[in-house]
Structure formats: structure tokens, C-alpha cells
Amino acid sequence: INMSLAARASVDRAQVDDKAMESRGTIDLSSIRVLSPQLGEDSVALSDVSVEYDVFADLRGDSVIARDVQIAVGELPLAGAGWIRGLKTERLVDFRIESGDVDIASLLSGLPEAMKMKLGEIDAAGTARVALAVSGSMADEAGPDVSGTLQMRDVDAAHGASGQLLTGGSGVLSFDKTSLSLPEFEGQVMGRPFQLQLAVSDFETLVAEGRVRGAVDLAQVAAMKELEAPMSGIAAFDISFSGPAKQPGALRLSGPVQLTDVSYQSTALAVPAVVSSATVQLTGDGVTSEGIAVQLGSSDLTLAFNAPGVLPYALSAGEIGSPPNVEFTLTSEKLDMSELKAESETAEVGYGQLVSARLAGTQVDGREPGELAREKYELPLIPVSAARGRVRIGEFLNPPNRARNVSFTVRVRNGVVEILNLRGRSYGGRLSGRMALDVSGGQPPFPLTYDLKLEDANAGGLLRTWTRLGAPISGKVNLDLNGSAAIDETMLPSTDALLATGSATFSDGRFENFGLTNALANQLRLDPTQFAGFRNFGGPFEIRNGNFVVETWQLASGDLDAAITGVAGLGGALDLGLNLTIPMATLQKAGLAGGSLGDLLGQLAGSDQSIDVAVGIGGTMSNPVLQLDEQALQAELGRMLEGQGRGLLDRLLRPPRDTSGVRY
């Protein structure tokens, strides 16, 4: 710091003898300018300093006594007295100085403009009194001891647009060269009682220890920070702290934070999240809670968690410690997703419909599936942490889906989110399985693996949700599905990266306006009731290269049996082969009598045999095109006639069965 001084001094000297001297006078220092890079490149003016003194120098005693020193630094009056002994040796000093009552507002107004800019828009009022004591040897390398006190009374403080922060603050701060202590500072922060206890033991690292108690109105905090999302309620705290204040991540914080009547309206939520009462406990380096009950409209969530080690990592922005390992339990009696997220007119469009539309390459209500999914199901940010917990939901609603008694384990580690031990009731059946999503890469596509099972479920509901067919099949369905996919930020899969194996078995149901069975009935001129009900339908399948590959599905409907193989494109295109086993009597009623085929059928009238009919299926699911293999049918009928002829001849030539018991 460079100083330029312009001083005026007036000194009256009284000579006592040649070994002693008294001096009284005044010294005025004005036009004091300081050049400090910390305060700005330009010199700044400081308050004028005026000194009145009464000093006695005892040269024989090698000492100087300051009987009275009056110092005025701007609006700060100081009065002191003391002595120095051993001027030629250890230079022992004992000097004490204290101020009168100082008006804090006047003191701040007298600060240089550069200092005011450094402090920001701070307005303060109240009274302060300073006392300073210097004692010890100035010859020591460490210098004399320095100690003092700062008394504060009725301190008020405000900051710019934040408004009034502190009122009625009072306390006594004690300090020396290496430490300070504030046993009790009391006041009101933002209109609520506040207490602070503070001890600093090392100014170099600012090692602090203390306790802070108070409460804040969250609505005031939201207004102060100009948050867009409304927030209200009270957060009361009683926190003990210790550690280096310059390194927040190394601080240990302990004590409760009590939440009362908290309401938070996120822009992502259609309803506010309300917490009537909850306690979060800081545990030194972690955070824990035995249960935070959150009400979301008619939905509820209760979260209990333990996150040891989270505070150093969070307060240091990840520079200290490692990502926290969180243990949690999340329970809900009812969770209605339609209430939680603000929806448009597409509220009833479910995730399954968006998946099927994405895989088919079609739109939903004139919009791309990804666009709708981004509004409804956008993948949330997965924090860099490890977590394990249990989730239990009594009733889960995600229109048009509904599930009950859902439970699963969540495990997050190394960027992989796993859903394990999944159990629940969905579509009237039992749901179980597991899933894993890998977001470690940070950017889509994200690998997804799954192994799911659905037993005794409602077939119509499942098809309505996950296909574009509506509900053409009723009855029960058992579904096994194991595979992988790659999803984007909308949580929708990519068609070319979707792989799966599994089986689907429908039982004891009916076909309701199913395009395939309708076309088959029309092609063979059969009564549609032949396909109205079925005993079982389905089998194994694969999904690969954008196709649904059928590996011999069986159908038993009425007196008909069939086997289906081939490929159904996820976009709806069909390339299937159907081998239909039909009783001869049914085939004769099919209306195929005509030409050579009709002649063959006529010759087999009255036969109780069944015949295999091969049918090729093309077109699409909504408009299938069937091709009957008439040549194969003719050949089969011919073989049947040939076999029937041999059977008739055998019966004619065979002797009658012996019923007398006498062998000829």
C-alpha cells in the first residue's frame, strides 16, 4: 500500500530535566490516499485522522508513558493510554485503546467508495464499541500480544433488493492475533429469532467452530432469489459446525432442520409438493431423515434416506470425497402421474402407445412420438452417485395404465440404474422382472436391458396399451420378455436397436374384429363364429431388425387347429405362413365346392378326417391378404381319397370278427 500524507502538527514541549520530557499536542492527518490493487487501480481517499496526545518520556527509566491519547478517525472516536519500557532492549509495551459508541451507519458512510463497492449494497445501523489491548515484547519475532473486543448493539442490516436481513443484532466479539470468539450473537434474521455462537482458532485457514439457530420463511427466500417457482413454509435449524471456513467441503455440520407447512410449486409439476412436517438431520458429513411425507394433490410420497458423506462432496462441488452412497426407502399409498405433470390434450396417450408408434414409424394425434414423450416422460437427470433403496407403491396410475401393490429395489452405481425384484399387479395379472439402464456415457442412446414376466393378465388391456391394434383379443395372457434396447432422452427405443426373445400365450378368449381371423373366415367362406372363441393362441417369438418373428404359434379355436410362422414387421407388414387343420365336414361347408377341388371334396363327403390347409398371409395387420395353396390342398385331398379307397377294399375283404369263441 502506498500512502501520500499531508499532515499538520502542533506540539507543546515542557522540559522537566535532561533525562525526562513531556509532550502534549495534536496531529492532523489529511488528504490520505492509498493505492491498493485490492480496492481498485486508482488511489482512494481515507477519512482524516486527528490525534491528541499527552506523553511522558523517561529516558533514565528507558520508558515512554502515554497518559492519554485521543484519536478521531472520521466518525470513529478512540481513547487510549499505556506505556513502553525497555526501549533499548525488549521494548515491553502495554497499551489499551477503546472507542466510544460508534454509529455504524455513519461509519459505513465514511468508507472510501472503492470499499463500498467491494461490500456491495449494504446498509447497516446500530451501535458498536471497540476495545484493543497490546501487551508484550516488541523485540520478539512474533511481536506483542494483541487482543480486543467488539461490542455490537441493536444492529440492523439490509442488502440491496434483498431488503432487511438483520434486526436487533447484539453480541460481544473477542479476538487476539490468532483467534476470535463470539459467545452469543442474538437478533432477528428476516424477522425471526436468530442465534450465533462462533469461535475461530486460526486466521490463516479460518478454522471455525460454532452453532447457529434460527428459522427462515421460505417464501421470503424465494422472493429474495427471484425464483420462478413459488415456495412457502418455515425451515427451522439448529446446526453445529466445525472445520475450515475457507473450505466448505471440509466443514462438519450436525443438527436438525425442521420443515413446517412447506409448499413448493415446481414448473415441472401440475400440483404443489406439500410437506406438513418433517425433520432432516445433518450428521457431520452426511444427511439423514426417518421420513419426509410429501402430498402431491391426491398422491403421496414418503421418503426416508441416509446419505453419509454427501456434505463434503456437495459443498465442494465434487472436489472433496467421492459420490455419496445413498440408502433410501420410498413408499406411496397412491401415485397418480397425471396429477404430477402438467399435461395437454394428449394426457391419455400412454407410454406404450408412444413406444408402438415410434417402432411403427407413425404419429400420434398428428405429432411425433418423441415430441410427446419429451413432454410426458423425458429421462430425468441421473446424479453421479451410488444409491440403493426399496420402492413400494399401493396404487400407481399413469393413464391409461394402472398398477397395484408395486414394489422393487433400485440400485444406482457407475452410471447404471437397475430395477430389481420387480413385483406388482398390472392388467389384472402378476408382474415381475428386472430392468437396467446405462447412462454412464452421458449422451443418448442409452443401453437398456430387461427381463419381464406377466402372468394371467387381461389380454385386451395389454394389447390396447402396447399395440396399435386396439383390443382384438380377449381372455388371459402370459407374457415372457427378455431383451435389450437403446433409448434416447425421451425414454423411447430405437427400432433398429430393439432385440428381444420371449413367448406370449393367450388362453380362453375371443377374437373381436381381428383382421387376421376375419380375413381367414372370408377366404375360406367359413362361419366367423368358427374363430369367435379360442382355447389357446400363441408361442415363442423374437424381435430383431425391426420385425416380430413368430416361431410357430399355435391356435386352437372351435374345431380348428392352426400353426403360424413367419414375420410381422413392427410397422404392420405381414409375411406369415399358416397351416390350418380343418375337419372335413367343416371344409365341405366352406363353400369351396367348384372345379376339381369341389369334386374331390364331394367324394370325401361323410369323412371324419381332418385336412391341413396351407395359407400364405401378406398385407398388413389392419388389411391382411391371404393366399390359399389350392394345389397343395388338391394333392392332400387326392391322397386322402386314395387312402380312403384302400380302406374300403380292406373292409370288404376282411372276414367277419369271430364272436363265438370257436376258432376255425
Side-chain angles (χ1 to χ4, degrees), residues 271-356:
V271 294
V274 178
V275 177
S276 298
S277 179
T279 300
V280 177
Q281 188 78 28
L282 307 185
T283 61
D285 67 346
V287 182
T288 184
S289 177
E290 294 183 357
I292 301 176
V294 183
Q295 196 70 32
L296 297 150
S298 66
S299 300
D300 66 276
L301 287 172
T302 299
L303 174 65
F305 63 89
N306 181 32
V310 68
L311 291 178
Y313 188 81
L315 294 175
S316 67
E319 294 182 1
I320 297 178
S322 57
N325 193 341
V326 181
E327 297 282 342
F328 70 91
T329 300
L330 182 66
T331 60
S332 172
E333 293 297 323
K334 176 185 177 184
L335 188 58
D336 188 345
M337 300 301 293
S338 66
E339 286 190 337
L340 305 188
K341 189 171 179 62
E343 299 287 1
S344 61
E345 63 275 6
T346 60
E348 292 301 315
V349 177
Y351 178 71
Q353 293 172 277
L354 297 177
V355 170
S356 62

Side-chain angles (χ1 to χ4, degrees), residues 7 44 62 68 84 134 211 214 223 254 259 263 277 290 357 360 377 396 399 420 434 442 510 534 560-561 601 610 615:
V44 295
D62 198 21
D68 183 32
I84 301 175
V134 181
R211 181 181 182 185
S254 302
L259 305 176
S263 177
S277 179
E290 294 183 357
Y377 304 106
F396 178 72
L420 307 171
R434 61 179 298 276
R510 298 178 62 85
F534 61 85
L560 305 177
D561 291 293
L601 288 172
S610 294
V615 180

Side-chain angles (χ1 to χ4, degrees), residues 425-430 454-466 470-479 505-508:
R425 301 284 301 182
S426 184
Y427 303 105
R430 299 181 301 278
L454 187 62
E455 301 174 279
D456 293 329
N458 180 278
L462 181 68
L463 294 174
R464 186 183 297 110
T465 300
W466 291 94
I473 302 177
S474 63
K476 297 293 184 180
V477 60
N478 289 333
L479 176 67
T505 304
F506 301 84
S507 60
D508 300 325

Side-chain angles (χ1 to χ4, degrees), residues 123 297 543 639:
D123 293 321
I543 299 176
R639 284 191 295 272

Side-chain angles (χ1 to χ4, degrees), residues 45-63:
L46 299 179
S47 301
D48 295 344
V49 178
S50 174
V51 180
E52 295 184 13
Y53 67 92
D54 181 355
V55 175
F56 174 73
D58 182 1
L59 302 181
R60 182 180 295 109
D62 198 21
S63 63

Side-chain angles (χ1 to χ4, degrees), residues 36-104:
S36 173
Q38 287 78 18
L39 299 177
E41 295 183 358
D42 297 331
S43 296
V44 295
L46 299 179
S47 301
D48 295 344
V49 178
S50 174
V51 180
E52 295 184 13
Y53 67 92
D54 181 355
V55 175
F56 174 73
D58 182 1
L59 302 181
R60 182 180 295 109
D62 198 21
S63 63
V64 175
I65 300 173
R67 297 167 176 160
D68 183 32
V69 178
Q70 301 289 330
I71 304 174
V73 183
E75 299 293 331
L76 176 62
L78 300 170
W83 48 260
I84 301 175
R85 294 190 175 95
L87 293 175
K88 298 177 181 179
T89 56
E90 64 265 52
R91 299 193 299 279
L92 296 175
V93 62
D94 188 346
F95 187 83
R96 302 178 186 278
I97 189 170
E98 64 179 30
S99 73
D101 289 340
V102 178
D103 184 74
I104 295 175

